[in-house]
Structure formats: C-alpha cells, structure tokens
Amino acid sequence: MAPCAGCFLLAVMFSASCKAITSSDQMCTEKEANKTYNCENLGLTEVPDTLPNTTEFLEFGFNFLPVIENTTFTRLIDLMFLDLTRCQINWVHEDTFQYQHQLNTIVLTGNPLIFMAETAFNGPKSLKHLSLIQTGISNLEFIPVYNLEQLESLHLGSNHISSIKFPENFPTQNLKVLDFQNNAIYYISSEDMNALEKATNLSLNFNGNDIKAIEPGAFHSKSFQSLKFGGILNLSVILKGLQNSTTQSLWLGTFEDSDDQDLTPAMFEGLCEMSVESINLQKHHFSSISSTTFRCFTQLKELDLTATHLKSLPSGIEGMNALKKLVLNVNNFDQLCQINAASFPSLTDLSIKGNMKTLDFGAGCLEKLENLQKLDLSHNDIEASDCCNLQLKNLPHLQYLNLSYNEPLGLQSQAFKECPQLEHLDLAFTHLRIKAPQSPFQNLRLLQVLNLSHCLLDTSNQHLLAGLVDLRHLNLQGNHFQDRRISKTNLLQPLNSLEILSLSSCDLLSIDKQAFQSLGKMSHIDLSYNSLTGDSIDALSHLQGIYLNLAVNSIHAIPPLLLHTLSQQNTINLSHNPLDCTCSNIHFITWYKENLQKIEGVEETMCANPPSLRGVKLYDVELSCGITAVGIFFLIVFLLFIAILLVFSVKFLLRWKYEHI
C-alpha cells in the first residue's frame, strides 16, 4: 500500500491544470497582414471598421450593398483590387472610387445594375481590369466611358448584348482582353469591328454566341492575339468572315451541351484566306476525313483535335511541316501508329491521352518524329511487357515523357536508352515490373523530375535509382517499404542532387536516423499520411531550411532534444496528428506557440489528449505544469509524515541498541 500511496501523492503533487484559451476570430479573414482580406458572404451592409486603412486587396462578394457611392470605401485609399461579386448592387453613384487612386481591378460580376453614373469610375489613375459579367447589360452605351483610358481587360459575359458596337468615345486603344461570351450576338458588322481598330494584340471572345453571319470584310486586315468562337456549329460562316485577318490562336471548339455537327473539308476553305498559327477544334465530329481535309492547315504551328471522334489520321497529308504541337486526346485510336506521325515531321509536342480504347503502343510508330521533345501518353491503358526502347525508337531529343495511369509496363535495364535527353519522366499509377537487377533509368543522367507514385515498386532494390545524378524531384508516394521502415541503406542513397522528395502514403512506421544522410540538398520533404512518430524527426537533423510535411501521422509528442531539428526548418505541417496536450509534452507545445510563423495548417493542428482538450487548436492551449496549491498541501503532509516516521525510527533504533548493550 505504501508505494501506491506514494505514487498517488506524487501524482496529485505535480497535477497540471489545463485550459483552452480561444482567441476571437476576425470577421474578415486576413490573408496577408494589413493588405489582403476576404469578407465574402458575411451579410455585411458596409465596410467593417475592423478592416485596416492599409487594405490593398479586398474580396467583398456575396454581401448586401444595393447602392455604392463615394463614402462607401472612403477609408481604403490603398485599394488595388476590389471584388464586389453578387452584392445586389443596383446603383453606382458618381465618384464612387474617387479616393482609390491605386485601384486597378474592379469586379462587379452578378450584380443587377440599373444605373451607373457617367463618372462612376472616376478616381483610379490606372484602372486596367473591369468585370461586368452577368449584370443585365444589353447595350454597351450603358458602360461609363470616363476614366477608362488605361483599361486592358473588359469582361461582359452572360449578359443580353446583341451588338458589339461601342460608343464613339469609348477608349479601346489599350484593350488586350474583350470578353463577350454567352451573349445574344447573331451578327458582326464592319462598323462594329471598326471601333476596335486601335486595339493591338487583342484577345476577343465570342464563345457561346449563336453567330449566324459576319459581314464580308469585317475582320479585313485586322490582327488579334486570339479569337474564340466556341459553340458555333456552322464553322464555314466564321472562317469566311475571318478572311484576310491574322490571329495567333483561333478557338473553334464546342462544348458538352452543344449539338454535334459533322465537319467537312469544304468548311475549312476559309482558312486558306487567313493567317493563323493555332486552331482548336475540340469536340467536333469529322464525318469523312482525308488528306484534303488538311489542305488549308499548312501554316499551322498548333492543332488541337481533342475528342473529335477520330479513329485514325489519313496517310498522305502534305505540307504540314510547320506544325510543332498536335493534341489528339480523348479519341478512338486502336494503335499509336494510326496517327501516321510521318505526316508531321517537325512536331516537338505530341499529346494522346485519355484514349477511349486501349491503346496499343506498337513499335517505332513515332520514329519519324526525331525532333519530338514532349510526349504525353497518359490514361491510355497501355500495356507492354518490354518497354520502352522499341516503342520510343529514334526520339533522341525527347525531354518530357508521361506514361502515367497505364497498365503494367515491364522495364529492362536501360529501358529508356532511346531517350537519353529525358528531363521529366512520369510513370504514376502504372505498375512497373522491373526485370533486371540494374536500374532501368541508369542512362538518364539529365533526368530532373521522376514520378513513381503508386507504381507498386520493389523498394528493397537499392540499385533502382542508380545513375540519376541530376535528379531534383522524386515522388514515391503510395509505394511500400520493407518492414514499414526506411533503413540506413536504401534506394535513395545515390540521389545526391535531390531537392524535393515525396514519401506520402507509404505506410511508414519509422525512419532510420541516417536514412537521409546522403540527401544534403533537400528543400522539401513530404512524409504525410504515414504512421510515423515524433522520433522519426531525428532523421532530418542534418537538414536546414526545408519544407517539412508531417501531416496525418501518429505523432503524440516530440522529444525536447528534437526541437532543435524543427527550429532549423522553414515550414512545418503537423496537422491531423494525435498530439498530447499534457505536461509531458510541454516543451514542444511551448516551442510550437513561439514558432507559429513556421507552422502550416495551424487551424487543423489540434489536441487529441487529454479528452478535456480534444479538438482544441494547439495554439489555444495553455498549460500550468508547476506544483498546484493542492500539491503543496499534500507535499507538506507527506514531508511531515516522513519526519514523524524518521523520529520514531531513530527512537526505535536507540531503544533496540540500549536493550542489547
């Protein structure tokens, strides 16, 4: 009983009093101190007094401001960006922004505007971006023209505009983006387009307008950065209307909710009479495709045929030597050779991903593309028992290769010998069957990024990553290690240049303290979604200034000796760990509160123990870990008990000694 009584006394004596201190949240969310605030959807009817005068970026959408005037934002003289989306604004009075001289962006999206004063935008010295999307505008004369001389982008989508004719005095000389998507524009006249003559390198968006006709000559001798006519079924109307114009990019695709219309070679005749570098025809349907279909495509540098129901590209296509980028995603090819790559000898970028059928990798299908630098074959269910030299034959300049989300691939030694210039290789979610003891990547001395996440790798093969002398970024997420630990000798040791490492979701229990000793250049380590404890931090003691993600692990406490390792790092995420908020962990809790500037995910970093503090944010916890008043009382009682016991013991010994003399 005596030992138990002693333990009880000691427990009471050093008992801790715990309480949570909850800080009051600001009404508006602070994103950057004294500069950036989000006040969205708070039911506000005015700018709150708690918002500092130095605010530069303000998101104020989804509040209630039926009328805005020159007193609404008086204090906020440093405003540069103002978002008033869906604030039920009806009236914008004179000189509303007269004190906001630095204001360059105003967003009025989704407000049912009834009136805007002629000088509504007076004040800003360089207003560059104005959004009036879904504001009920039906006529461009509704927009005040005063003080818009510096305007670069004007967004007028989802309104009721039927004519793009601007008032004569509307300043268009600096416009770079003009967005009319989803309006009621059926006809474009020469007079409409003449108002835009002063604009240079303009991006003009007519997506979602059912344009029936374009007046001949409306676009004559005009140059654009980009033109978008998405969702328009009769492409011949558009291409004839664009005769003698120049644009770098022409977007003619359609959308999921649009009706399909077969594309015929005759529809593209207008392309021969204009200058264009890039065309997008996504989600259209080619009824009968032949080499003559591409007769007017010879000047193109980029062609996007995503989801155009293609089963093959015809052989004999001539004159497309200028084409640098070809996108054939989401089509119906059976074999890679069906794209007839020889028709596009100058390609540097080829994307065939998300094919609707299992794609046969074939052999040498791309060997005529010796200038190819980027190849994306992801999400195609490609399967190959011996990959990838035969399939990637004669691609000596390939720098980027994506084979992720495919079926199992068998890799021999030097599996990418045909692509020695590779810098980025993505094999994520593709089961890799390594068929040689040597590394399949050993000839890739220039490789900088390697994604092997969820590849079911044999991580016990210490030579798996040999030869990657310049690798900077490695993703091993979702691969498992033997005995659920990373030992001192492991597959990472050859990677002396590694800077970013992801070991998330690897089911790890521990990491040897010397496992990362060879990785002296690390700047980012992701160890989230494992079962690591605080002791694993010792493996990082030699690293400084890194981003360290330890979220969703099994960390209860961090020993005081390892706090120095955490102090050396730039950013640390410890969220969603079962942290102990008891006196046994007081050193870590104190360190945490003193280093909040280093912590990521503070709102999700909470206590798990004791039950009374479960769910409390760690920065709100305050512990008193000294001797309490009750503890002092029991200490005195305990000491008196010991003193009395000592006195009686001495008396007993003296009496015993006297009786035995």
Side-chain angles (χ1 to χ4, degrees), residues 107-167:
V107 180
L108 292 170
T109 296
N111 288 288
L113 298 176
I114 297 174
F115 170 78
M116 284 199 295
E118 185 177 350
T119 59
F121 300 120
N122 183 33
K125 293 182 178 179
S126 184
L127 184 60
K128 293 184 177 180
H129 310 287
L130 178 61
S131 177
L132 295 170
I133 296 171
Q134 210 172 26
T135 50
I137 294 175
S138 59
N139 193 314
L140 296 182
E141 293 185 356
F142 179 81
I143 305 171
V145 301
Y146 187 74
N147 200 35
L148 297 182
E149 289 79 11
Q150 304 301 318
L151 199 64
E152 293 182 3
S153 70
L154 177 59
H155 297 269
L156 297 166
S158 299
N159 281 296
H160 309 293
I161 298 169
S162 58
S163 171
I164 66 169
K165 183 180 180 181
F166 280 97

Side-chain angles (χ1 to χ4, degrees), residues 458-518:
D458 176 13
T459 55
S460 63
N461 181 357
Q462 297 180 25
H463 304 291
L464 181 64
L465 303 174
L468 300 176
V469 295
D470 202 30
L471 192 67
R472 311 293 175 84
H473 185 165
L474 174 63
N475 190 342
L476 290 174
Q477 177 181 345
N479 291 288
H480 293 178
F481 288 75
Q482 190 173 10
D483 298 325
R484 300 177 67 186
R485 68 187 301 269
I486 301 179
S487 59
K488 178 180 177 181
T489 55
N490 57 74
L491 76 170
L492 301 173
Q493 289 182 318
L495 307 178
N496 296 324
S497 299
L498 199 64
E499 298 174 2
I500 300 173
L501 173 63
S502 177
L503 291 167
S504 177
S505 302
C506 289
D507 198 29
L508 291 171
L509 286 175
S510 64
I511 302 174
D512 187 276
K513 63 184 299 182
Q514 295 185 357
F516 298 148
Q517 281 299 314
S518 62

Side-chain angles (χ1 to χ4, degrees), residues 602-614:
V602 291
E603 298 300 319
E604 291 78 37
T605 307
M606 305 181 216
C607 302
N609 289 301
S612 60
L613 292 179
R614 185 171 297 150

